[in-house]
Amino acid sequence: MYDYNEMDSKCPTGSFSYTIKSGDTLYKLARMHNTTVEAITAINPGINPNNLQVGQRICIPKGTTPPTQTCPTGTFSYTIKSGDTLYKLAMTYNTTVEAIMAVNPGIDPNNLQIGQRICIPRGTMPPPTSTCPTGTFSYTIRSGDTFYLLAIRYNTTVEAIMAANPGVDPNNLQIGQRICIPGRVPPTPTCPTGTFSYTIRSGDTFYLLAIRYNTTVEAIMAVNPGVDPNNLQIGQRICIPGRVPPTPTCPTGTFSYTIRPGDTLYQLAIRYNTTVEAIMAVNPGIDPNNLQIGQRICIPGRVPPTPTCPTGTFSYTIRPGDTLYQLAIRYNTTVEAIMAVNPGIDPNNLRIGQRICIPERVPPTPTCDGFFYRVRPGDTFYSIAQMFNISVDRLLAANPHIDPNNLMVGQLICIPRTTMPPITCPGGTVYVVRPNDTLSSIAMRFNVSIMDLMAANPNINWCSLMPGQQICIPRHMPCSAETTSSSAETTPIQ
């Protein structure tokens, strides 16, 4: 089985290696690096443009360095960040969505890309760092914050916060946004003698903390006046009666272990060849039903050494979604062979970060007179054949070693070349239709008018576009309002 993530990427002269990141598309990369989708596809044979994988290495043709976008007079350049929308930017910079779109022709307001550069009309200059007036202090919005919760936390009112932050939408607070809170900056609490400072973590409650530190809810509340036990905030500092518990020293014959997500005493007992009772015996007071991530406990036995894989195998670290079956396919071996070099492994309970040994065989490079497609949830041979406008028989013939009744998510199958004759597109660009493309979405993507697109493809049935079908994208001509409005309804590809 061929895996792009594993390939040793050696790019030809005139190109460079690139690692796919979240949100990347070949169209976006072509625009970013001043090249074309066709040129990228040509030097990456077998690449599936509809199923790029984060971490996948591909080659990008070296175009000329794209010029830095120059924004017209009366605007300034802005780089799109996570969570940005044109509406939000319009509110932030005292302008309108229509004004932003007018100075960014061809921008898709529903598909802004992180890192994309756009121009913003100057309503007012970008707002300076907020300086809070006397009698207030600056606060940075965190996850879950609302004006109501902040008013309770800082002993003020929603109205007072709104008065100190004119123009702030209380229903659209953004993480990292700076606002002003009436009052003074609350000092870092100094815990009284006989208590210690504690920082609230995810899942903490006064009840759980009372059990963990051998105290009571009432005692914790007594040394934290004004703290709302029903609204603890991650990162909030409180005081706990007692002394800072020392790092546990595990007795002879045991080793220290730090609880990780998903751990249970039962699973730890199986992993380290002991029993739940033995673990509880060396951890008096431990609550097996309330293990905390980061909690230190003692495990009977010795620290297991890092496994050394025998000759003819290599070490592999389990990642999310891995199964022995998928690893066997990926590395051209069998589940039985993997289990044989990992005695005691539980194939139904693989742990993220767990190290196992994989029998070493060099996976042959598969051949495919077409391109590879990575199976997605819900795919069947029939649905894939329909998607690419080929028969199930042709798909089966191109994949003789694949069981059509047992497709695995992530599995690569070969899509044979279609028999559609190549098209000519003088002065334009040939585009290969992708799933869910429509006449209007293609026109918007390439910033051409619908009438020009239809005129360049007189024999295309736009109501039944098929993935893999080639169409001609004419050179850009300005769209008129009439031609744009004529595309109010277009049937998408199913």
Side-chain angles (χ1 to χ4, degrees):
M1 180 58 61
Y2 190 74
D3 192 332
Y4 287 112
N5 292 332
E6 305 295 336
M7 78 175 187
D8 181 18
S9 178
K10 295 182 179 179
C11 293
T13 304
S15 67
F16 60 91
S17 178
Y18 178 85
T19 303
I20 297 296
K21 295 178 288 189
S22 177
D24 279 344
T25 66
L26 292 193
Y27 173 70
K28 175 184 173 184
L29 294 174
R31 291 283 297 272
M32 186 186 305
H33 297 288
N34 197 27
T35 182
T36 64
V37 172
E38 292 71 20
I40 297 176
T41 304
I43 64 170
N44 293 277
I47 192 174
N48 182 352
N50 299 318
N51 190 30
L52 300 180
Q53 302 291 317
V54 175
Q56 180 179 350
R57 301 293 292 279
I58 66 172
C59 299
I60 305 285
K62 290 181 180 177
T64 58
T65 303
T68 302
Q69 180 187 23
T70 303
C71 289
T73 303
T75 69
F76 61 91
S77 179
Y78 178 84
T79 303
I80 297 296
K81 295 176 290 191
S82 176
D84 278 345
T85 66
L86 292 194
Y87 175 76
K88 176 184 170 185
L89 293 174
M91 294 284 290
T92 301
Y93 295 107
N94 193 27
T95 184
T96 64
V97 172
E98 292 73 18
I100 297 177
M101 293 183 69
V103 295
N104 295 277
I107 191 174
D108 181 356
N110 299 317
N111 188 31
L112 299 181
Q113 303 290 325
I114 296 174
Q116 181 179 355
R117 300 295 291 276
I118 67 171
C119 299
I120 304 286
R122 294 183 188 272
T124 58
M125 290 295 290
T129 303
S130 174
T131 301
C132 290
T134 304
T136 69
F137 63 91
S138 179
Y139 177 84
T140 303
I141 297 296
R142 293 177 292 187
S143 177
D145 279 343
T146 66
F147 274 14
Y148 175 74
L149 295 177
L150 293 173
I152 293 175
R153 187 183 310 162
Y154 294 109
N155 194 28
T156 184
T157 64
V158 171
E159 292 72 18
I161 297 178
M162 292 180 69
N165 297 276
V168 172
D169 181 357
N171 298 316
N172 188 32
L173 299 181
Q174 303 291 322
I175 295 174
Q177 183 178 358
R178 301 293 291 276
I179 66 170
C180 299
I181 304 287
R184 291 184 301 173
V185 180
T188 302
T190 301
C191 291
T193 304
T195 69
F196 62 91
S197 179
Y198 176 85
T199 302
I200 296 296
R201 293 177 292 185
S202 177
D204 279 343
T205 66
F206 274 14
Y207 175 73
L208 295 178
L209 293 173
I211 294 176
R212 187 185 309 164
Y213 294 110
N214 195 28
T215 184
T216 64
V217 171
E218 292 72 19
I220 297 177
M221 292 181 68
V223 294
N224 294 279
V227 171
D228 181 358
N230 298 317
N231 188 33
L232 299 180
Q233 303 290 320
I234 296 174
Q236 183 178 356
R237 301 292 292 275
I238 65 170
C239 300
I240 303 287
R243 291 184 300 174
V244 180
T247 301
T249 301
C250 291
T252 304
T254 69
F255 62 91
S256 178
Y257 177 86
T258 302
I259 297 295
R260 293 177 292 186
D263 278 342
T264 67
L265 293 192
Y266 176 73
Q267 291 169 334
L268 293 174
I270 293 176
R271 187 185 310 165
Y272 295 111
N273 195 28
T274 184
T275 64
V276 172
E277 292 72 19
I279 297 177
M280 293 183 68
V282 295
N283 295 277
I286 191 174
D287 180 356
N289 298 316
N290 189 35
L291 299 181
Q292 302 290 320
I293 297 172
Q295 182 178 355
R296 302 292 292 275
I297 66 171
C298 300
I299 304 286
R302 291 185 298 173
V303 180
T306 301
T308 301
C309 291
T311 304
T313 68
F314 62 91
S315 179
Y316 177 86
T317 302
I318 296 296
R319 293 178 290 187
D322 279 342
T323 67
L324 293 193
Y325 177 74
Q326 290 170 332
L327 293 174
I329 293 176
R330 187 184 309 164
Y331 294 107
N332 193 28
T333 184
T334 64
V335 172
E336 292 73 19
I338 296 177
M339 293 183 68
V341 295
N342 295 277
I345 191 174
D346 180 356
N348 298 316
N349 189 33
L350 299 181
R351 313 287 299 178
I352 297 172
Q354 182 179 354
R355 301 293 292 276
I356 66 171
C357 300
I358 304 285
E360 196 167 31
R361 295 183 189 175
V362 179
T365 302
T367 58
C368 178
D369 184 20
F371 61 92
F372 284 102
Y373 172 80
R374 194 177 295 274
V375 175
R376 294 178 290 187
D379 278 344
T380 66
F381 255 42
Y382 177 73
S383 68
I384 295 171
Q386 280 195 320
M387 183 187 304
F388 294 102
N389 195 27
I390 58 176
S391 67
V392 173
D393 290 339
R394 283 197 66 201
L395 192 58
L396 285 166
N399 298 274
H401 302 299
I402 289 181
D403 180 0
N405 298 316
N406 190 31
L407 294 182
M408 304 295 295
V409 174
Q411 187 175 2
L412 290 176
I413 64 173
C414 176
I415 307 298
R417 295 184 187 276
T418 64
T419 57
M420 296 179 184
I423 67 170
T424 58
C425 187
T429 303
V430 175
Y431 172 73
V432 179
V433 174
R434 294 181 288 183
N436 297 320
D437 275 344
T438 65
L439 170 60
S440 60
S441 69
I442 295 172
M444 181 178 293
R445 181 178 304 153
F446 291 98
N447 195 23
V448 298
S449 74
I450 287 176
M451 295 303 294
D452 287 343
L453 189 56
M454 294 177 70
N457 298 273
N459 300 319
I460 296 294
N461 181 356
W462 295 100
C463 293
S464 59
L465 289 178
M466 300 299 298
Q469 188 174 0
Q470 293 182 336
I471 63 173
C472 176
I473 308 298
R475 285 183 298 178
H476 168 65
M477 298 291 290
C479 296
S480 68
E482 294 180 358
T483 58
T484 303
S485 63
S486 67
S487 62
E489 293 185 4
T490 306
T491 304
I493 299 173
Q494 300 299 322

